Amino acid sequence: MNDTAQESKRRKIVCFSDFDGTIFMQDTGHILFDNHGCGTKRRQILDEQIKSGERSFRDVSEEMWSSLDVPFEDGFEVMEKNLEIDVDFRTFHKFCRENEIPFNVISAGLKPVLRRVLDTFLGEEASSHIDIVANDAEITADGSEWKPIWRHDDSDLGHDKALSIQEARKAAHLTAENGTIPLIVFIGDGVSDLAAAREADVLFARRGLRLEEYCQENGIDYIPFDTFADIQRRLEEIQEEDRQKTGGRGVPVRFNPRANLWRRVSSKAAVPRYVVMSPTKEEKMFLWPEVFSVPVVGSEQQMVAPLQV
């Protein structure tokens, strides 16, 4: 490869995104619970029980999902009426496909629900290019039972990404394809996204919501966005900046060593294997970091669960 070709090489980008409140402005689960389940008032009480530590996230979530008594199709109808997709997401997703940027959804929701939503709002062909990491579910034909299939059945949260992250980080190393190291991007809206967001080179936080506030309060680098058009524009600028300064080779100009974990696994598959194995304890450890996080002396601060007594 000659120097000109090297200089014009564009670095590979891999995108990971939250779903509720990020791609869609509303929460899919809340719409279902409020309209066909426990109702808004009870849901808010249950949310407070998680925050106070009175009950586990998994316990509360199971009550919310088990409160549903509606066939899947009927439940989807109310979601379709109430959900609002980011006005520029379709264009952004087209941009990702045209530029061979893998786009992955990571969610604490139910995969059948999220897939149906994407199929409807994007079309099945476009939706098929998005990998979804979420809980599975068993839903009876008459809708009398909605049962989440947790990725970690022995966890009181149903999700426990922490252990897998720690194990993967120990073995993580830079992987390069033809001399390039991928740029890892994460897009989110809430503090619950921090477990994944801290592992990215570039973090986009929806403007005015809790993730942005948390980043400001804790000095975390991020880029605010109002719609996915802002993300597309900034990614194009970042691509050009990187091309000019690195020729697409070596480490990215915007480089976060913590993102090596994502680089390692995303070079082998669109969705990180550790995420598939175990989503996250974000619901406690990052929504309420002042309660559930402790500094580890002599090393980078980590988010760890409190001791069980």
PDB file of all heavy atoms in Angstrom, residues 98-119:
ATOM      1  N   GLU A  98     -24.362   2.224   4.939  1.00  0.00           N
ATOM      2  CA  GLU A  98     -23.613   2.641   3.746  1.00  0.00           C
ATOM      3  C   GLU A  98     -22.117   2.737   4.029  1.00  0.00           C
ATOM      4  O   GLU A  98     -21.302   2.582   3.119  1.00  0.00           O
ATOM      5  CB  GLU A  98     -24.142   3.987   3.246  1.00  0.00           C
ATOM      6  CG  GLU A  98     -25.544   3.899   2.659  1.00  0.00           C
ATOM      7  CD  GLU A  98     -26.098   5.261   2.268  1.00  0.00           C
ATOM      8  OE1 GLU A  98     -25.508   6.285   2.710  1.00  0.00           O
ATOM      9  OE2 GLU A  98     -27.112   5.313   1.544  1.00  0.00           O
ATOM     10  N   ASN A  99     -21.754   3.003   5.290  1.00  0.00           N
ATOM     11  CA  ASN A  99     -20.343   3.148   5.648  1.00  0.00           C
ATOM     12  C   ASN A  99     -19.799   1.931   6.391  1.00  0.00           C
ATOM     13  O   ASN A  99     -18.724   2.003   6.979  1.00  0.00           O
ATOM     14  CB  ASN A  99     -20.160   4.416   6.488  1.00  0.00           C
ATOM     15  CG  ASN A  99     -20.314   5.684   5.674  1.00  0.00           C
ATOM     16  OD1 ASN A  99     -19.356   6.173   5.088  1.00  0.00           O
ATOM     17  ND2 ASN A  99     -21.528   6.216   5.633  1.00  0.00           N
ATOM     18  N   GLU A 100     -20.565   0.834   6.359  1.00  0.00           N
ATOM     19  CA  GLU A 100     -20.142  -0.421   6.975  1.00  0.00           C
ATOM     20  C   GLU A 100     -19.772  -0.241   8.449  1.00  0.00           C
ATOM     21  O   GLU A 100     -18.758  -0.744   8.936  1.00  0.00           O
ATOM     22  CB  GLU A 100     -18.973  -1.036   6.198  1.00  0.00           C
ATOM     23  CG  GLU A 100     -19.325  -1.356   4.752  1.00  0.00           C
ATOM     24  CD  GLU A 100     -18.181  -2.009   3.995  1.00  0.00           C
ATOM     25  OE1 GLU A 100     -17.022  -1.894   4.462  1.00  0.00           O
ATOM     26  OE2 GLU A 100     -18.434  -2.635   2.965  1.00  0.00           O
ATOM     27  N   ILE A 101     -20.638   0.492   9.165  1.00  0.00           N
ATOM     28  CA  ILE A 101     -20.476   0.705  10.598  1.00  0.00           C
ATOM     29  C   ILE A 101     -21.457  -0.220  11.323  1.00  0.00           C
ATOM     30  O   ILE A 101     -22.669   0.019  11.266  1.00  0.00           O
ATOM     31  CB  ILE A 101     -20.742   2.174  10.995  1.00  0.00           C
ATOM     32  CG1 ILE A 101     -19.753   3.107  10.301  1.00  0.00           C
ATOM     33  CG2 ILE A 101     -20.689   2.344  12.509  1.00  0.00           C
ATOM     34  CD1 ILE A 101     -20.045   4.584  10.517  1.00  0.00           C
ATOM     35  N   PRO A 102     -21.002  -1.271  11.983  1.00  0.00           N
ATOM     36  CA  PRO A 102     -21.925  -2.140  12.719  1.00  0.00           C
ATOM     37  C   PRO A 102     -22.651  -1.342  13.803  1.00  0.00           C
ATOM     38  O   PRO A 102     -22.041  -0.562  14.531  1.00  0.00           O
ATOM     39  CB  PRO A 102     -20.996  -3.193  13.336  1.00  0.00           C
ATOM     40  CG  PRO A 102     -19.773  -3.171  12.489  1.00  0.00           C
ATOM     41  CD  PRO A 102     -19.605  -1.742  12.055  1.00  0.00           C
ATOM     42  N   PHE A 103     -23.973  -1.550  13.896  1.00  0.00           N
ATOM     43  CA  PHE A 103     -24.783  -0.855  14.894  1.00  0.00           C
ATOM     44  C   PHE A 103     -25.485  -1.903  15.748  1.00  0.00           C
ATOM     45  O   PHE A 103     -26.202  -2.756  15.235  1.00  0.00           O
ATOM     46  CB  PHE A 103     -25.809   0.063  14.231  1.00  0.00           C
ATOM     47  CG  PHE A 103     -26.586   0.898  15.214  1.00  0.00           C
ATOM     48  CD1 PHE A 103     -26.122   2.156  15.599  1.00  0.00           C
ATOM     49  CD2 PHE A 103     -27.764   0.423  15.770  1.00  0.00           C
ATOM     50  CE1 PHE A 103     -26.823   2.921  16.522  1.00  0.00           C
ATOM     51  CE2 PHE A 103     -28.475   1.178  16.690  1.00  0.00           C
ATOM     52  CZ  PHE A 103     -28.006   2.437  17.068  1.00  0.00           C
ATOM     53  N   ASN A 104     -25.278  -1.842  17.070  1.00  0.00           N
ATOM     54  CA  ASN A 104     -25.793  -2.848  17.995  1.00  0.00           C
ATOM     55  C   ASN A 104     -26.603  -2.194  19.106  1.00  0.00           C
ATOM     56  O   ASN A 104     -26.219  -1.147  19.631  1.00  0.00           O
ATOM     57  CB  ASN A 104     -24.633  -3.622  18.630  1.00  0.00           C
ATOM     58  CG  ASN A 104     -23.624  -4.093  17.607  1.00  0.00           C
ATOM     59  OD1 ASN A 104     -23.849  -5.044  16.888  1.00  0.00           O
ATOM     60  ND2 ASN A 104     -22.489  -3.393  17.519  1.00  0.00           N
ATOM     61  N   VAL A 105     -27.717  -2.826  19.469  1.00  0.00           N
ATOM     62  CA  VAL A 105     -28.564  -2.353  20.564  1.00  0.00           C
ATOM     63  C   VAL A 105     -28.299  -3.195  21.801  1.00  0.00           C
ATOM     64  O   VAL A 105     -28.232  -4.426  21.727  1.00  0.00           O
ATOM     65  CB  VAL A 105     -30.054  -2.446  20.191  1.00  0.00           C
ATOM     66  CG1 VAL A 105     -30.938  -2.330  21.434  1.00  0.00           C
ATOM     67  CG2 VAL A 105     -30.421  -1.354  19.194  1.00  0.00           C
ATOM     68  N   ILE A 106     -28.123  -2.528  22.941  1.00  0.00           N
ATOM     69  CA  ILE A 106     -27.966  -3.203  24.228  1.00  0.00           C
ATOM     70  C   ILE A 106     -29.072  -2.692  25.148  1.00  0.00           C
ATOM     71  O   ILE A 106     -29.178  -1.490  25.377  1.00  0.00           O
ATOM     72  CB  ILE A 106     -26.586  -2.927  24.843  1.00  0.00           C
ATOM     73  CG1 ILE A 106     -25.488  -3.439  23.911  1.00  0.00           C
ATOM     74  CG2 ILE A 106     -26.472  -3.577  26.217  1.00  0.00           C
ATOM     75  CD1 ILE A 106     -24.093  -3.134  24.403  1.00  0.00           C
ATOM     76  N   SER A 107     -29.891  -3.605  25.676  1.00  0.00           N
ATOM     77  CA  SER A 107     -31.057  -3.166  26.434  1.00  0.00           C
ATOM     78  C   SER A 107     -31.382  -4.143  27.552  1.00  0.00           C
ATOM     79  O   SER A 107     -31.105  -5.339  27.455  1.00  0.00           O
ATOM     80  CB  SER A 107     -32.266  -3.043  25.505  1.00  0.00           C
ATOM     81  OG  SER A 107     -33.452  -2.787  26.231  1.00  0.00           O
ATOM     82  N   ALA A 108     -31.995  -3.627  28.613  1.00  0.00           N
ATOM     83  CA  ALA A 108     -32.492  -4.465  29.700  1.00  0.00           C
ATOM     84  C   ALA A 108     -33.928  -4.907  29.439  1.00  0.00           C
ATOM     85  O   ALA A 108     -34.548  -5.543  30.281  1.00  0.00           O
ATOM     86  CB  ALA A 108     -32.424  -3.702  31.027  1.00  0.00           C
ATOM     87  N   GLY A 109     -34.460  -4.576  28.247  1.00  0.00           N
ATOM     88  CA  GLY A 109     -35.819  -4.957  27.892  1.00  0.00           C
ATOM     89  C   GLY A 109     -35.899  -6.382  27.368  1.00  0.00           C
ATOM     90  O   GLY A 109     -34.986  -7.185  27.531  1.00  0.00           O
ATOM     91  N   LEU A 110     -37.020  -6.686  26.713  1.00  0.00           N
ATOM     92  CA  LEU A 110     -37.253  -8.018  26.169  1.00  0.00           C
ATOM     93  C   LEU A 110     -36.979  -8.007  24.665  1.00  0.00           C
ATOM     94  O   LEU A 110     -37.551  -7.207  23.926  1.00  0.00           O
ATOM     95  CB  LEU A 110     -38.686  -8.466  26.425  1.00  0.00           C
ATOM     96  CG  LEU A 110     -39.130  -8.514  27.896  1.00  0.00           C
ATOM     97  CD1 LEU A 110     -40.525  -9.120  27.997  1.00  0.00           C
ATOM     98  CD2 LEU A 110     -38.144  -9.289  28.755  1.00  0.00           C
ATOM     99  N   LYS A 111     -36.138  -8.903  24.228  1.00  0.00           N
ATOM    100  CA  LYS A 111     -35.719  -8.924  22.829  1.00  0.00           C
ATOM    101  C   LYS A 111     -36.893  -9.059  21.855  1.00  0.00           C
ATOM    102  O   LYS A 111     -36.919  -8.362  20.829  1.00  0.00           O
ATOM    103  CB  LYS A 111     -34.702 -10.051  22.600  1.00  0.00           C
ATOM    104  CG  LYS A 111     -34.107 -10.046  21.209  1.00  0.00           C
ATOM    105  CD  LYS A 111     -32.992 -11.063  21.081  1.00  0.00           C
ATOM    106  CE  LYS A 111     -32.385 -11.030  19.687  1.00  0.00           C
ATOM    107  NZ  LYS A 111     -31.253 -11.984  19.565  1.00  0.00           N
ATOM    108  N   PRO A 112     -37.895  -9.934  22.106  1.00  0.00           N
ATOM    109  CA  PRO A 112     -39.012 -10.025  21.154  1.00  0.00           C
ATOM    110  C   PRO A 112     -39.739  -8.701  20.970  1.00  0.00           C
ATOM    111  O   PRO A 112     -40.173  -8.371  19.862  1.00  0.00           O
ATOM    112  CB  PRO A 112     -39.929 -11.081  21.782  1.00  0.00           C
ATOM    113  CG  PRO A 112     -39.035 -11.873  22.675  1.00  0.00           C
ATOM    114  CD  PRO A 112     -38.024 -10.897  23.204  1.00  0.00           C
ATOM    115  N   VAL A 113     -39.859  -7.944  22.055  1.00  0.00           N
ATOM    116  CA  VAL A 113     -40.527  -6.643  21.982  1.00  0.00           C
ATOM    117  C   VAL A 113     -39.697  -5.659  21.159  1.00  0.00           C
ATOM    118  O   VAL A 113     -40.197  -4.991  20.252  1.00  0.00           O
ATOM    119  CB  VAL A 113     -40.776  -6.080  23.394  1.00  0.00           C
ATOM    120  CG1 VAL A 113     -41.306  -4.644  23.315  1.00  0.00           C
ATOM    121  CG2 VAL A 113     -41.755  -6.968  24.158  1.00  0.00           C
ATOM    122  N   LEU A 114     -38.402  -5.588  21.470  1.00  0.00           N
ATOM    123  CA  LEU A 114     -37.540  -4.628  20.784  1.00  0.00           C
ATOM    124  C   LEU A 114     -37.420  -4.954  19.301  1.00  0.00           C
ATOM    125  O   LEU A 114     -37.428  -4.049  18.459  1.00  0.00           O
ATOM    126  CB  LEU A 114     -36.150  -4.611  21.438  1.00  0.00           C
ATOM    127  CG  LEU A 114     -36.105  -4.379  22.949  1.00  0.00           C
ATOM    128  CD1 LEU A 114     -34.661  -4.241  23.410  1.00  0.00           C
ATOM    129  CD2 LEU A 114     -36.915  -3.157  23.339  1.00  0.00           C
ATOM    130  N   ARG A 115     -37.313  -6.247  18.971  1.00  0.00           N
ATOM    131  CA  ARG A 115     -37.202  -6.620  17.564  1.00  0.00           C
ATOM    132  C   ARG A 115     -38.462  -6.247  16.798  1.00  0.00           C
ATOM    133  O   ARG A 115     -38.394  -5.730  15.687  1.00  0.00           O
ATOM    134  CB  ARG A 115     -36.928  -8.127  17.439  1.00  0.00           C
ATOM    135  CG  ARG A 115     -36.863  -8.618  15.991  1.00  0.00           C
ATOM    136  CD  ARG A 115     -35.767  -7.889  15.207  1.00  0.00           C
ATOM    137  NE  ARG A 115     -34.442  -8.321  15.641  1.00  0.00           N
ATOM    138  CZ  ARG A 115     -33.326  -7.695  15.269  1.00  0.00           C
ATOM    139  NH1 ARG A 115     -33.376  -6.611  14.520  1.00  0.00           N
ATOM    140  NH2 ARG A 115     -32.146  -8.131  15.683  1.00  0.00           N
ATOM    141  N   ARG A 116     -39.627  -6.497  17.407  1.00  0.00           N
ATOM    142  CA  ARG A 116     -40.880  -6.167  16.727  1.00  0.00           C
ATOM    143  C   ARG A 116     -40.994  -4.656  16.519  1.00  0.00           C
ATOM    144  O   ARG A 116     -41.452  -4.191  15.463  1.00  0.00           O
ATOM    145  CB  ARG A 116     -42.067  -6.680  17.542  1.00  0.00           C
ATOM    146  CG  ARG A 116     -43.426  -6.336  16.933  1.00  0.00           C
ATOM    147  CD  ARG A 116     -43.631  -6.979  15.563  1.00  0.00           C
ATOM    148  NE  ARG A 116     -44.921  -6.642  15.002  1.00  0.00           N
ATOM    149  CZ  ARG A 116     -46.053  -7.269  15.289  1.00  0.00           C
ATOM    150  NH1 ARG A 116     -46.046  -8.298  16.148  1.00  0.00           N
ATOM    151  NH2 ARG A 116     -47.182  -6.905  14.735  1.00  0.00           N
ATOM    152  N   VAL A 117     -40.568  -3.885  17.500  1.00  0.00           N
ATOM    153  CA  VAL A 117     -40.607  -2.428  17.368  1.00  0.00           C
ATOM    154  C   VAL A 117     -39.711  -1.975  16.214  1.00  0.00           C
ATOM    155  O   VAL A 117     -40.116  -1.166  15.369  1.00  0.00           O
ATOM    156  CB  VAL A 117     -40.177  -1.749  18.688  1.00  0.00           C
ATOM    157  CG1 VAL A 117     -39.951  -0.254  18.476  1.00  0.00           C
ATOM    158  CG2 VAL A 117     -41.235  -1.967  19.769  1.00  0.00           C
ATOM    159  N   LEU A 118     -38.487  -2.490  16.162  1.00  0.00           N
ATOM    160  CA  LEU A 118     -37.572  -2.102  15.086  1.00  0.00           C
ATOM    161  C   LEU A 118     -38.087  -2.564  13.725  1.00  0.00           C
ATOM    162  O   LEU A 118     -37.985  -1.833  12.730  1.00  0.00           O
ATOM    163  CB  LEU A 118     -36.178  -2.678  15.353  1.00  0.00           C
ATOM    164  CG  LEU A 118     -35.385  -2.031  16.482  1.00  0.00           C
ATOM    165  CD1 LEU A 118     -34.077  -2.784  16.713  1.00  0.00           C
ATOM    166  CD2 LEU A 118     -35.102  -0.563  16.192  1.00  0.00           C
ATOM    167  N   ASP A 119     -38.630  -3.787  13.666  1.00  0.00           N
ATOM    168  CA  ASP A 119     -39.177  -4.285  12.401  1.00  0.00           C
ATOM    169  C   ASP A 119     -40.268  -3.358  11.885  1.00  0.00           C
ATOM    170  O   ASP A 119     -40.362  -3.100  10.676  1.00  0.00           O
ATOM    171  CB  ASP A 119     -39.768  -5.684  12.590  1.00  0.00           C
ATOM    172  CG  ASP A 119     -38.708  -6.763  12.710  1.00  0.00           C
ATOM    173  OD1 ASP A 119     -37.523  -6.465  12.453  1.00  0.00           O
ATOM    174  OD2 ASP A 119     -39.065  -7.908  13.060  1.00  0.00           O
TER     175      ASP A 119
END
